[in-house]
Amino acid sequence: MDLNDTMNRISKMFFLGLAVVALAGFGKVGVTKAAAQPGSLIKMNGLSSVYYLGQDGKRYVFPNQTTYFSWYKDFSGVVTISQSELESYPLGSNITTRPGTYLVKITTNPKVYAVEPGGLLRAIPDEASAKALYGDNWAKRVVDVPDAFFTNYKMGTTLAAGEIPAGTLVKNPDNPDVYYYDGTNYRKIVDEAAFNANRFRFEFVLTVSTPITAGGNNITSNEFGNPDSSATGQGTQPGQGTGLTVALSSDTPASQTIPNGVSIEFLKFNVTASNDGDVNITGIKFSAIGLGNAGDIDEVTVYVDGARWGNAKDVDSNKVAQISFSNALVIPKGTTKTITVKAKILDEQTGHYGLSINKAADIFTTATVSGSFPINGNDMSATTVTDLGQLTIDNDGTLSNVKLGDIQATLAKIKVSADGNEDITLNSITLKKDSVSTAADDDFENVKLYMDGSAISAATAISGKYVTFNLTSPVVITKNSNKRFVVKGDVVDGATKTLKLFLESTADVTATGNHYGYAAKIVNHFTGNSVTIDAGSITIGKVNAVNDKIRKDTSDAEFGSFKITANSGKNVELSKFRLTIDAVNEKDDDGVATPAGDPYNQIENVELFDRTNNTTYDLTYLATPGDATKKIYQNTNMSLILNAGVTHELVVRADVKNTAT
């Protein structure tokens, strides 16, 4: 049955309420039972909402019907419990789609992802890769994840050509054995009982031509049938580390007086992954400390290795700023990374302020977090400085469309102006991809910041919607003057898509006043402009033959040529060339006009000769009925690579028969 048909049939008897799976019209589901066991599906007596009870004693939510049916085929295992028992289990997170089942996409972006354990998304680079992995009907596996639930997933790297996502079931043709790929080993499922115990389904098994070599331990019992470690954030996955140590960094900023309205470093701390695997961090919660009003702390932002991570958050009424990472921050096994936290105090506010990680649970990861909590930054005292230097970040004109394949195409224009208080040194700037953008992050490569026609930053990439430019040499903007900057990058994909970069937070500009030595005040007017990616293009021009008369009984007589140039920066493959030839009074040897459907009689061996690379391409006659005075000759498998900016001259030539007139 077609997946859409199945979903339509299910939807007639299935509905959602408050983002939890709800059962309606199924009659009796389960039985009332006290003290449900971890790993159970539970519902309250008298209500239809169904939850998964995790090993940590929390009840987890299925955000939609597709997610539920990626894990379970029916509702036979649901246990009904009392209201008091249900309320005793605190709510956990949303459950993500089961790895190795459906492919997912966000409703507002066509990029398709495979789901790996832990809700890790691996982008499928193109349709050809999707077909190679999942067959011609791969699109029937794709389901939409509402925008609100897409943040439950973590973003991983794009799948390489031929790479099989972790969590996938695979088999070879003509071999009944099925294997579970855990990202390292192909673990054999020993029998049907083990297959069913894990709630695996044959419709999700991929048949691959590459011979499978079994590795790791055989699967003999239920290891993957429950959503626990794979989708609720409980436990760890194969290859993930089990421990993360958090400690205050020795160079965390000291207590000091800071100016209002300026983004300042408040806290630095180190995170160290255990030696047994990489650790993913998906977010951090910061708490306000100090005697100042917590609500005065704005634009809390996180940076790692000079790059922005996660969204900017103001401290809320609960005195916390919780920052989520759209791409998981990966701490490689056995290594330490320093995380820098910046924030600013609102204008005209005075008091003492600080930021803290209150407890281990405020680091969002599947690993076990250890450290001496709370981890507190030092106390900062805010004051107003009236003549502090100020930079204004503005749009600098409109943008033209770019072409697929363009090298160092213009993606943004920025004007930065200093006021009259002090000279200001600019060190870095981070831009964000606006939500109106339809282009993917990896549609652009080798992104750089330019000033006066020269690159002033190393090549970087848009990652997690942010792109950070750390200047190779700081730029001094003297008071009452301005500088103009241009963002450029290589356009490698995304034809017809749009990109808009803007400045989200004043914290994303690192600039220091040369008089006071403090961070400059930033006024943000840079809203950015959209740029559209047009398809790459080639130009074709004709060149007439040197002579307008051809001798009979001649080989490789030239009839003219075409000059073809790939205009954009991306190389182009010319796969097909179709030539329509006109003739006047062309007759067969018997003097009768060449009939429609027959090749011309006076010439033969029609071909294209590439004068640029000395290659010959035969043109075969396309036997189609039509105008007898027009014949079509073609080559549908040329595989001629047109290098960017290189002109190829394709000469049309043929042999002229000795009987030609």
Side-chain angles (χ1 to χ4, degrees), residues 208-219:
V208 297
S209 57
T210 304
I212 297 171
T213 301
N217 297 326
N218 288 345
I219 296 175

Side-chain angles (χ1 to χ4, degrees), residues 40-87:
S40 301
L41 293 170
I42 59 175
K43 68 178 290 289
M44 190 180 87
N45 190 24
L47 290 181
S48 55
S49 301
V50 176
Y51 305 85
Y52 173 77
L53 183 60
Q55 297 296 327
D56 59 352
K58 294 181 180 180
R59 49 189 165 108
Y60 289 87
V61 178
F62 295 97
N64 56 27
Q65 60 187 21
T66 305
T67 304
Y68 181 88
F69 285 118
S70 72
W71 290 97
Y72 302 94
K73 294 185 69 173
D74 54 39
F75 303 97
S76 59
V78 179
V79 175
T80 303
I81 61 177
S82 66
Q83 179 177 351
S84 60
E85 183 180 347
L86 182 73
E87 291 173 349

Side-chain angles (χ1 to χ4, degrees), residues 301-304 307-311 323-325 327-330 466:
T301 47
V302 171
Y303 298 83
V304 183
R308 168 80 172 277
W309 283 87
N311 46 344
I323 296 180
S324 300
F325 301 153
N327 285 357
L329 171 60
V330 180
Y466 294 96

